[in-house]
Amino acid sequence: MMTLVICLGILYMRWVSPPRILGGTQPGVGIALGAWPHQSIEYLKKYPPRGKMINLTWYSGNPLIFELYPGHPVFVDPRFEAYPRSFLLEAIRAAEDGEVLRNMIARYQPGWMVVELRVDSIRKLAAELIKEGNWKVVFADTVFLVMVRGTPENSEYLFKTHASARPNKSTGFSF
């Protein structure tokens, strides 16, 4: 009888009415809200930036491939067998080291970047790139930050997206 009570309590607290805390369990089955970049993907489908993409970290390649491939090939993803070891190690270091990231940007010349907001070092690197003035934030949700490089090729895109920005109650801004 005690086992049944404990099991029912666990089911109730886990599935029916979990406590509402930041990062806590959400009731139901399926993807937890805020864990998949739905809004960023929707934005990128509606307003695709020009040029090549760079994504940090390699793990962010999963939803990007799932939702945007083949229109937007990812820079790196968790398929370790698909990339040379030296490239993977450099891409992993780029998430921690600004100099490595800047070297990769100079070498591969991406037009836009998707960065994971959950990683503190990447948030700091993104802030540095924005402060330097070469990158502009065009969208953010709870998972991704989308930045476009301030190049002549992207000037029309940046003008259109920023000119049409308006407040939105659910996401803060939409473009």
Side-chain angles (χ1 to χ4, degrees):
M1 185 57 115
M2 190 61 158
T3 302
L4 181 61
V5 169
I6 291 172
C7 288
L8 289 174
I10 290 171
L11 287 174
Y12 181 79
M13 293 297 291
R14 175 78 181 171
W15 296 101
V16 178
S17 182
R20 297 290 186 174
I21 58 172
L22 185 62
T25 304
Q26 295 179 15
V29 178
I31 297 174
L33 298 175
W36 190 261
H38 294 288
Q39 294 165 329
S40 292
I41 297 297
E42 184 180 315
Y43 172 81
L44 290 169
K45 285 179 178 179
K46 191 172 183 179
Y47 304 104
R50 296 178 65 196
K52 295 181 280 185
M53 170 186 35
I54 190 168
N55 59 290
L56 293 174
T57 66
W58 54 270
Y59 184 75
S60 66
N62 285 336
L64 293 170
I65 287 175
F66 185 74
E67 299 280 356
L68 298 177
Y69 187 80
H72 299 289
V74 299
F75 183 70
V76 65
D77 64 73
R79 296 174 302 146
F80 297 128
E81 71 282 358
Y83 302 97
R85 177 177 163 71
S86 60
F87 172 80
L88 283 172
L89 292 174
E90 186 178 18
I92 290 168
R93 278 195 321 272
E96 300 285 331
D97 186 338
E99 186 177 333
V100 174
L101 176 59
R102 285 175 185 81
N103 288 338
M104 291 188 91
I105 290 170
R107 185 176 332 127
Y108 296 105
Q109 295 295 311
W112 54 291
M113 184 182 304
V114 175
V115 298
E116 285 186 72
L117 291 173
R118 68 177 177 81
V119 182
D120 188 48
S121 62
I122 295 175
R123 285 194 312 268
K124 290 177 182 175
L125 288 173
E128 288 174 16
L129 292 173
I130 294 164
K131 284 179 190 176
E132 291 169 5
N134 295 328
W135 293 87
K136 307 290 184 214
V137 175
V138 294
F139 194 83
D141 63 11
T142 58
V143 183
F144 287 158
L145 177 69
V146 180
M147 302 187 313
V148 173
R149 196 171 188 183
T151 61
E153 300 85 38
N154 289 332
S155 60
E156 183 179 344
Y157 177 86
L158 289 168
F159 176 76
K160 284 182 179 180
T161 56
H162 285 287
S164 64
R166 62 190 183 283
N168 178 314
K169 290 180 184 174
S170 65
T171 62
F173 283 95
S174 64
F175 297 92

